[in-house]
PDB file of all heavy atoms in Angstrom:
ATOM      1  N   GLU Q 979     115.424 112.271 111.069  1.00  0.00           N
ATOM      2  CA  GLU Q 979     116.608 112.210 110.244  1.00  0.00           C
ATOM      3  C   GLU Q 979     116.647 113.336 109.220  1.00  0.00           C
ATOM      4  O   GLU Q 979     117.649 114.009 109.047  1.00  0.00           O
ATOM      5  CB  GLU Q 979     116.659 110.831 109.504  1.00  0.00           C
ATOM      6  CG  GLU Q 979     117.830 110.712 108.531  1.00  0.00           C
ATOM      7  CD  GLU Q 979     117.686 109.530 107.598  1.00  0.00           C
ATOM      8  OE1 GLU Q 979     116.622 108.838 107.647  1.00  0.00           O
ATOM      9  OE2 GLU Q 979     118.631 109.288 106.850  1.00  0.00           O
ATOM     10  N   VAL Q1018     117.061 105.066  97.788  1.00  0.00           N
ATOM     11  CA  VAL Q1018     116.816 104.481  99.140  1.00  0.00           C
ATOM     12  C   VAL Q1018     115.559 105.153  99.666  1.00  0.00           C
ATOM     13  O   VAL Q1018     115.431 106.385  99.592  1.00  0.00           O
ATOM     14  CB  VAL Q1018     118.011 104.744 100.076  1.00  0.00           C
ATOM     15  CG1 VAL Q1018     117.819 103.954 101.372  1.00  0.00           C
ATOM     16  CG2 VAL Q1018     119.316 104.345  99.413  1.00  0.00           C
ATOM     17  N   LYS Q1020     113.510 105.695 103.103  1.00  0.00           N
ATOM     18  CA  LYS Q1020     113.799 105.606 104.537  1.00  0.00           C
ATOM     19  C   LYS Q1020     112.641 106.070 105.391  1.00  0.00           C
ATOM     20  O   LYS Q1020     112.251 107.253 105.272  1.00  0.00           O
ATOM     21  CB  LYS Q1020     115.064 106.438 104.887  1.00  0.00           C
ATOM     22  CG  LYS Q1020     116.240 106.148 103.949  1.00  0.00           C
ATOM     23  CD  LYS Q1020     117.507 106.881 104.387  1.00  0.00           C
ATOM     24  CE  LYS Q1020     118.123 106.234 105.576  1.00  0.00           C
ATOM     25  NZ  LYS Q1020     119.411 106.926 105.959  1.00  0.00           N
ATOM     26  N   GLY Q1026     115.923 104.577 116.233  1.00  0.00           N
ATOM     27  CA  GLY Q1026     116.910 103.954 115.379  1.00  0.00           C
ATOM     28  C   GLY Q1026     116.609 102.488 115.156  1.00  0.00           C
ATOM     29  O   GLY Q1026     115.505 102.013 115.487  1.00  0.00           O
ATOM     30  N   GLY Q1027     117.564 101.772 114.545  1.00  0.00           N
ATOM     31  CA  GLY Q1027     117.401 100.339 114.283  1.00  0.00           C
ATOM     32  C   GLY Q1027     116.435 100.093 113.124  1.00  0.00           C
ATOM     33  O   GLY Q1027     115.899  99.008 112.971  1.00  0.00           O
ATOM     34  N   ARG Q1028     116.272 101.105 112.235  1.00  0.00           N
ATOM     35  CA  ARG Q1028     115.322 100.987 111.136  1.00  0.00           C
ATOM     36  C   ARG Q1028     115.820  99.983 110.094  1.00  0.00           C
ATOM     37  O   ARG Q1028     115.028  99.257 109.490  1.00  0.00           O
ATOM     38  CB  ARG Q1028     115.056 102.336 110.507  1.00  0.00           C
ATOM     39  CG  ARG Q1028     114.395 103.332 111.423  1.00  0.00           C
ATOM     40  CD  ARG Q1028     114.497 104.717 110.848  1.00  0.00           C
ATOM     41  NE  ARG Q1028     115.888 105.097 110.604  1.00  0.00           N
ATOM     42  CZ  ARG Q1028     116.280 106.094 109.818  1.00  0.00           C
ATOM     43  NH1 ARG Q1028     115.401 106.841 109.225  1.00  0.00           N
ATOM     44  NH2 ARG Q1028     117.543 106.360 109.649  1.00  0.00           N
ATOM     45  N   GLY Q1029     117.139 100.044 109.848  1.00  0.00           N
ATOM     46  CA  GLY Q1029     117.706  99.193 108.806  1.00  0.00           C
ATOM     47  C   GLY Q1029     117.358  97.716 109.013  1.00  0.00           C
ATOM     48  O   GLY Q1029     116.788  97.071 108.141  1.00  0.00           O
ATOM     49  N   LYS Q1030     117.672  97.227 110.211  1.00  0.00           N
ATOM     50  CA  LYS Q1030     117.426  95.802 110.518  1.00  0.00           C
ATOM     51  C   LYS Q1030     115.925  95.465 110.552  1.00  0.00           C
ATOM     52  O   LYS Q1030     115.540  94.320 110.352  1.00  0.00           O
ATOM     53  CB  LYS Q1030     118.002  95.457 111.893  1.00  0.00           C
ATOM     54  CG  LYS Q1030     119.508  95.286 111.889  1.00  0.00           C
ATOM     55  CD  LYS Q1030     119.974  94.493 113.124  1.00  0.00           C
ATOM     56  CE  LYS Q1030     121.465  94.594 113.293  1.00  0.00           C
ATOM     57  NZ  LYS Q1030     121.832  95.614 114.301  1.00  0.00           N
ATOM     58  N   ILE Q1034     114.406 100.638 105.981  1.00  0.00           N
ATOM     59  CA  ILE Q1034     115.276 101.279 104.986  1.00  0.00           C
ATOM     60  C   ILE Q1034     115.264 100.341 103.768  1.00  0.00           C
ATOM     61  O   ILE Q1034     115.775  99.238 103.865  1.00  0.00           O
ATOM     62  CB  ILE Q1034     116.743 101.390 105.505  1.00  0.00           C
ATOM     63  CG1 ILE Q1034     116.808 102.036 106.885  1.00  0.00           C
ATOM     64  CG2 ILE Q1034     117.647 102.088 104.480  1.00  0.00           C
ATOM     65  CD1 ILE Q1034     116.520 103.497 106.967  1.00  0.00           C
ATOM     66  N   GLU Q1074     119.139 109.495  96.846  1.00  0.00           N
ATOM     67  CA  GLU Q1074     119.975 108.784  95.887  1.00  0.00           C
ATOM     68  C   GLU Q1074     120.684 107.643  96.610  1.00  0.00           C
ATOM     69  O   GLU Q1074     121.004 107.727  97.793  1.00  0.00           O
ATOM     70  CB  GLU Q1074     121.038 109.745  95.327  1.00  0.00           C
ATOM     71  CG  GLU Q1074     121.966 110.289  96.430  1.00  0.00           C
ATOM     72  CD  GLU Q1074     123.151 111.095  95.912  1.00  0.00           C
ATOM     73  OE1 GLU Q1074     123.679 110.762  94.834  1.00  0.00           O
ATOM     74  OE2 GLU Q1074     123.530 112.037  96.644  1.00  0.00           O
ATOM     75  N   ARG Q1075     120.862 106.518  95.883  1.00  0.00           N
ATOM     76  CA  ARG Q1075     121.550 105.408  96.467  1.00  0.00           C
ATOM     77  C   ARG Q1075     123.034 105.569  96.188  1.00  0.00           C
ATOM     78  O   ARG Q1075     123.421 105.865  95.070  1.00  0.00           O
ATOM     79  CB  ARG Q1075     121.040 104.122  95.825  1.00  0.00           C
ATOM     80  CG  ARG Q1075     121.568 102.887  96.394  1.00  0.00           C
ATOM     81  CD  ARG Q1075     120.529 101.799  96.128  1.00  0.00           C
ATOM     82  NE  ARG Q1075     121.155 100.572  95.706  1.00  0.00           N
ATOM     83  CZ  ARG Q1075     120.480  99.587  95.115  1.00  0.00           C
ATOM     84  NH1 ARG Q1075     119.176  99.725  94.872  1.00  0.00           N
ATOM     85  NH2 ARG Q1075     121.090  98.481  94.782  1.00  0.00           N
ATOM     86  N   VAL Q1076     123.870 105.382  97.184  1.00  0.00           N
ATOM     87  CA  VAL Q1076     125.298 105.537  96.980  1.00  0.00           C
ATOM     88  C   VAL Q1076     126.016 104.251  97.300  1.00  0.00           C
ATOM     89  O   VAL Q1076     125.573 103.450  98.083  1.00  0.00           O
ATOM     90  CB  VAL Q1076     125.888 106.689  97.842  1.00  0.00           C
ATOM     91  CG1 VAL Q1076     125.321 108.026  97.373  1.00  0.00           C
ATOM     92  CG2 VAL Q1076     125.603 106.496  99.302  1.00  0.00           C
ATOM     93  N   VAL Q1078     128.928 102.276  98.982  1.00  0.00           N
ATOM     94  CA  VAL Q1078     129.653 102.488 100.199  1.00  0.00           C
ATOM     95  C   VAL Q1078     130.994 101.775 100.121  1.00  0.00           C
ATOM     96  O   VAL Q1078     131.092 100.589  99.923  1.00  0.00           O
ATOM     97  CB  VAL Q1078     128.847 101.973 101.420  1.00  0.00           C
ATOM     98  CG1 VAL Q1078     129.655 102.150 102.699  1.00  0.00           C
ATOM     99  CG2 VAL Q1078     127.525 102.713 101.544  1.00  0.00           C
ATOM    100  N   GLU Q1081     132.563 102.483 105.989  1.00  0.00           N
ATOM    101  CA  GLU Q1081     131.568 102.976 106.933  1.00  0.00           C
ATOM    102  C   GLU Q1081     132.203 103.261 108.300  1.00  0.00           C
ATOM    103  O   GLU Q1081     132.946 102.426 108.791  1.00  0.00           O
ATOM    104  CB  GLU Q1081     130.467 101.947 107.209  1.00  0.00           C
ATOM    105  CG  GLU Q1081     129.472 101.724 106.081  1.00  0.00           C
ATOM    106  CD  GLU Q1081     128.357 100.802 106.556  1.00  0.00           C
ATOM    107  OE1 GLU Q1081     128.651  99.684 107.070  1.00  0.00           O
ATOM    108  OE2 GLU Q1081     127.183 101.175 106.411  1.00  0.00           O
ATOM    109  N   GLY Q1104     127.699 101.666 111.124  1.00  0.00           N
ATOM    110  CA  GLY Q1104     126.444 100.974 110.785  1.00  0.00           C
ATOM    111  C   GLY Q1104     125.932 100.157 111.945  1.00  0.00           C
ATOM    112  O   GLY Q1104     124.730  99.915 112.047  1.00  0.00           O
ATOM    113  N   ASN Q1173     125.763 107.756 111.750  1.00  0.00           N
ATOM    114  CA  ASN Q1173     126.004 106.306 111.745  1.00  0.00           C
ATOM    115  C   ASN Q1173     125.187 105.654 110.635  1.00  0.00           C
ATOM    116  O   ASN Q1173     124.038 105.383 110.800  1.00  0.00           O
ATOM    117  CB  ASN Q1173     125.611 105.678 113.105  1.00  0.00           C
ATOM    118  CG  ASN Q1173     126.078 104.246 113.198  1.00  0.00           C
ATOM    119  OD1 ASN Q1173     127.002 103.858 112.506  1.00  0.00           O
ATOM    120  ND2 ASN Q1173     125.427 103.492 114.072  1.00  0.00           N
ATOM    121  N   PRO Q1174     125.791 105.406 109.474  1.00  0.00           N
ATOM    122  CA  PRO Q1174     127.231 105.538 109.219  1.00  0.00           C
ATOM    123  C   PRO Q1174     127.621 106.814 108.524  1.00  0.00           C
ATOM    124  O   PRO Q1174     126.852 107.412 107.760  1.00  0.00           O
ATOM    125  CB  PRO Q1174     127.445 104.361 108.226  1.00  0.00           C
ATOM    126  CG  PRO Q1174     126.156 104.274 107.476  1.00  0.00           C
ATOM    127  CD  PRO Q1174     125.068 104.668 108.437  1.00  0.00           C
ATOM    128  N   LEU Q1186     125.350 109.296 105.878  1.00  0.00           N
ATOM    129  CA  LEU Q1186     124.260 108.497 105.331  1.00  0.00           C
ATOM    130  C   LEU Q1186     123.050 108.531 106.243  1.00  0.00           C
ATOM    131  O   LEU Q1186     121.931 108.399 105.814  1.00  0.00           O
ATOM    132  CB  LEU Q1186     124.736 107.068 105.138  1.00  0.00           C
ATOM    133  CG  LEU Q1186     124.336 106.394 103.818  1.00  0.00           C
ATOM    134  CD1 LEU Q1186     124.684 107.211 102.622  1.00  0.00           C
ATOM    135  CD2 LEU Q1186     124.965 105.012 103.731  1.00  0.00           C
ATOM    136  N   ASP Q1187     123.328 108.684 107.532  1.00  0.00           N
ATOM    137  CA  ASP Q1187     122.258 108.781 108.513  1.00  0.00           C
ATOM    138  C   ASP Q1187     122.602 109.946 109.404  1.00  0.00           C
ATOM    139  O   ASP Q1187     123.749 110.391 109.482  1.00  0.00           O
ATOM    140  CB  ASP Q1187     122.204 107.469 109.349  1.00  0.00           C
ATOM    141  CG  ASP Q1187     120.972 107.354 110.232  1.00  0.00           C
ATOM    142  OD1 ASP Q1187     120.059 108.175 110.083  1.00  0.00           O
ATOM    143  OD2 ASP Q1187     120.892 106.393 111.055  1.00  0.00           O
TER     144      ASP Q1187
HETATM  145  P1  GDP B 695     119.174 103.027 111.051  1.00  0.00           P
HETATM  146  O1  GDP B 695     119.159 101.549 110.860  1.00  0.00           O
HETATM  147  O2  GDP B 695     117.862 103.516 111.614  1.00  0.00           O
HETATM  148  O3  GDP B 695     120.349 103.536 111.782  1.00  0.00           O
HETATM  149  O4  GDP B 695     119.184 103.655 109.528  1.00  0.00           O
HETATM  150  P2  GDP B 695     120.419 104.066 108.591  1.00  0.00           P
HETATM  151  O5  GDP B 695     120.090 105.327 107.928  1.00  0.00           O
HETATM  152  O6  GDP B 695     121.715 104.069 109.305  1.00  0.00           O
HETATM  153  O7  GDP B 695     120.436 102.928 107.500  1.00  0.00           O
HETATM  154  C1  GDP B 695     120.704 101.562 107.778  1.00  0.00           C
HETATM  155  C2  GDP B 695     121.728 101.033 106.837  1.00  0.00           C
HETATM  156  O8  GDP B 695     121.237 101.055 105.506  1.00  0.00           O
HETATM  157  C3  GDP B 695     123.046 101.790 106.803  1.00  0.00           C
HETATM  158  O9  GDP B 695     123.908 101.432 107.826  1.00  0.00           O
HETATM  159  C4  GDP B 695     123.583 101.419 105.432  1.00  0.00           C
HETATM  160  O10 GDP B 695     124.338 100.242 105.553  1.00  0.00           O
HETATM  161  C5  GDP B 695     122.317 101.161 104.634  1.00  0.00           C
HETATM  162  N1  GDP B 695     122.111 102.264 103.684  1.00  0.00           N
HETATM  163  C6  GDP B 695     121.369 103.363 103.853  1.00  0.00           C
HETATM  164  N2  GDP B 695     121.472 104.160 102.743  1.00  0.00           N
HETATM  165  C7  GDP B 695     122.253 103.532 101.856  1.00  0.00           C
HETATM  166  C8  GDP B 695     122.707 103.826 100.526  1.00  0.00           C
HETATM  167  O11 GDP B 695     122.434 104.858  99.916  1.00  0.00           O
HETATM  168  N3  GDP B 695     123.526 102.880  99.919  1.00  0.00           N
HETATM  169  C9  GDP B 695     123.866 101.738 100.549  1.00  0.00           C
HETATM  170  N4  GDP B 695     124.644 100.871  99.935  1.00  0.00           N
HETATM  171  N5  GDP B 695     123.460 101.442 101.802  1.00  0.00           N
HETATM  172  C10 GDP B 695     122.650 102.288 102.430  1.00  0.00           C
END
Side-chain angles (χ1 to χ4, degrees):
E979 176 193 6
V1018 187
K1020 311 186 74 178
R1028 297 166 303 165
K1030 284 200 194 98
I1034 309 289
E1074 61 172 325
R1075 184 155 137 194
V1076 294
V1078 177
E1081 287 187 308
N1173 191 22
L1186 223 52
D1187 191 8

